[in-house]
């Protein structure tokens, strides 16, 4: 019987995704536990002579990449990326995603939008029939917190302000995160439009059209999924 070890599956997916990296590329570097495996693998490739530059999706990712000797750049200097490799908190059969469990959804979505190709890497536990068991993160402007809470409550989305051990969780852009319940919603495109239309909501963790290839670790093998 195949071993179903999530961390092992994450490592296998990350290793497979790195096969798509070629020298000279500018890469979007994701955030999260699966992306960490990819970044460590990329660091090993750089130490062996691979020449790439990375644009990190979070300060945590930037710090790890620097530790591993991966050269970094910015979207200002490299406005179009060759490839972004990132994880996901959930994905459905249409390869639509919920992301943002680590609080980096805004930068992650910006990188995905500006990449020629987006590869998502996950373990098998992230596959769901319907998105929403994982709460949907929203990045919001702190100034608008109370008004947004009222509006989301009226939409029956049950918003919860994300907190950390230090108090209110803040993103790298100094915004807040609200986690909402969307499992009952069938039309996620319409929901996304409604959410983005609320002043003060900067971005949602719904990544509905960005995935070009999803690589999932499954036991001791990997599965590649495309639309």
């Amino acid at each position: 019987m195949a071993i179903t070890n999530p961390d092992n599956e994450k490592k296998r997916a990350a290793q497979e995704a790195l096969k798509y990296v070629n020298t000279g590329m500018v890469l979007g570097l994701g955030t999260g536990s699966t992306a960490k495996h990819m970044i460590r693998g990329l660091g090993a490739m750089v130490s062996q002579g691979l020449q790439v530059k990375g644009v990190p999706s979070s300060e945590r990712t930037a710090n790890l990449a620097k530790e591993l000797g991966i050269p970094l750049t910015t979207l200002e200097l490299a406005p179009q990326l060759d490839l972004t490799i990132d994880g996901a908190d959930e994905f459905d059969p249409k390869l639509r995603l919920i992301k943002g469990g680590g609080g980096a959804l805004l930068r992650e979505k910006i990188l995905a939008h500006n990449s020629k190709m987006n590869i998502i890497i996950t373990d098998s536990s992230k596959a769901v029939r319907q998105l929403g068991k994982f709460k949907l993160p929203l990045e919001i402007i702190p100034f608008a917190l109370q008004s947004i809470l009222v509006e989301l409550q009226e939409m029956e989305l049950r918003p919860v302000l994300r907190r950390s051990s230090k108090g209110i969780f803040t993103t790298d852009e100094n915004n807040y995160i609200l986690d909402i319940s969307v499992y009952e919603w069938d039309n996620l495109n319409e929901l996304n439009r409604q959410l983005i239309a609320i002043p003060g909501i900067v971005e949602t963790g719904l990544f509905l059209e960005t995935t070009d290839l999803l690589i999932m670790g499954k036991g001791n093998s990997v599965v590649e999924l495309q639309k």
Side-chain angles (χ1 to χ4, degrees):
M1 181 180 293
I3 300 172
T4 54
N5 179 302
D7 199 58
N8 179 60
E9 292 182 343
K10 291 174 183 180
K11 288 179 182 177
R12 290 184 179 277
Q15 291 166 355
E16 192 67 23
L18 288 171
K19 294 179 181 179
Y20 289 84
V21 174
N22 296 311
T23 198
M25 280 186 166
V26 181
L27 305 171
L29 306 178
T31 294
S33 58
T34 313
K36 280 183 182 178
H37 288 302
M38 178 273 297
I39 295 165
R40 291 190 182 105
L42 182 65
M45 294 167 68
V46 168
S47 70
Q48 295 169 7
L50 178 74
Q51 295 184 356
V52 294
K53 292 182 179 179
V55 179
S57 58
S58 67
E59 296 306 314
R60 283 164 287 157
T61 290
N63 291 336
L64 178 59
K66 289 174 185 176
E67 289 175 14
L68 295 169
I70 300 170
L72 298 180
T73 186
T74 65
L75 276 183
E76 183 178 6
L77 297 175
Q80 187 172 49
L81 309 178
D82 296 295
L83 171 64
T84 289
I85 305 175
D86 203 353
D89 297 300
E90 280 187 346
F91 73 91
D92 72 5
K94 296 180 181 179
L95 303 190
R96 301 181 301 180
L97 318 173
I98 285 181
K99 290 175 50 57
L105 62 108
L106 177 57
R107 293 188 185 182
E108 288 173 339
K109 190 168 280 190
I110 291 170
L111 294 188
H113 179 76
N114 290 286
S115 293
K116 295 176 184 176
M117 183 179 186
N118 287 291
I119 297 179
I120 298 299
I121 49 177
T122 76
D123 62 89
S124 58
S125 72
K126 304 301 190 297
V128 297
R129 296 303 303 173
Q130 180 176 337
L131 293 178
K133 290 183 178 179
F134 191 94
K135 303 299 184 186
L136 175 66
L138 307 176
E139 183 155 345
I140 71 159
I141 299 292
F143 175 78
L145 173 61
Q146 292 305 320
S147 61
I148 292 172
L149 281 171
V150 170
E151 193 158 352
L152 295 178
Q153 287 163 355
E154 290 174 349
M155 295 172 68
E156 299 182 349
L157 293 170
R158 301 187 291 280
V160 176
L161 179 62
R162 187 179 296 184
R163 297 181 179 274
S164 70
S165 58
K166 299 178 182 179
I168 297 175
F169 177 90
T170 56
T171 71
D172 288 336
E173 302 297 328
N174 293 314
N175 293 322
Y176 293 166
I177 296 284
L178 290 176
D179 294 298
I180 63 173
S181 301
V182 301
Y183 189 72
E184 296 82 4
W185 285 75
D186 294 324
N187 191 334
L188 294 178
N189 285 289
E190 176 58 28
L191 174 62
N192 197 58
R193 283 192 289 270
Q194 289 183 34
L195 293 170
I196 289 296
I198 297 173
I201 293 182
V202 182
E203 192 51 85
T204 82
L206 286 171
F207 286 59
L208 301 176
E209 304 289 343
T210 55
T211 306
D212 295 305
L213 173 66
L214 189 143
I215 302 176
M216 176 182 68
K218 190 171 184 180
N220 289 322
S221 62
V222 294
V223 178
E224 293 194 2
L225 302 170
Q226 291 179 294
K227 292 181 182 177

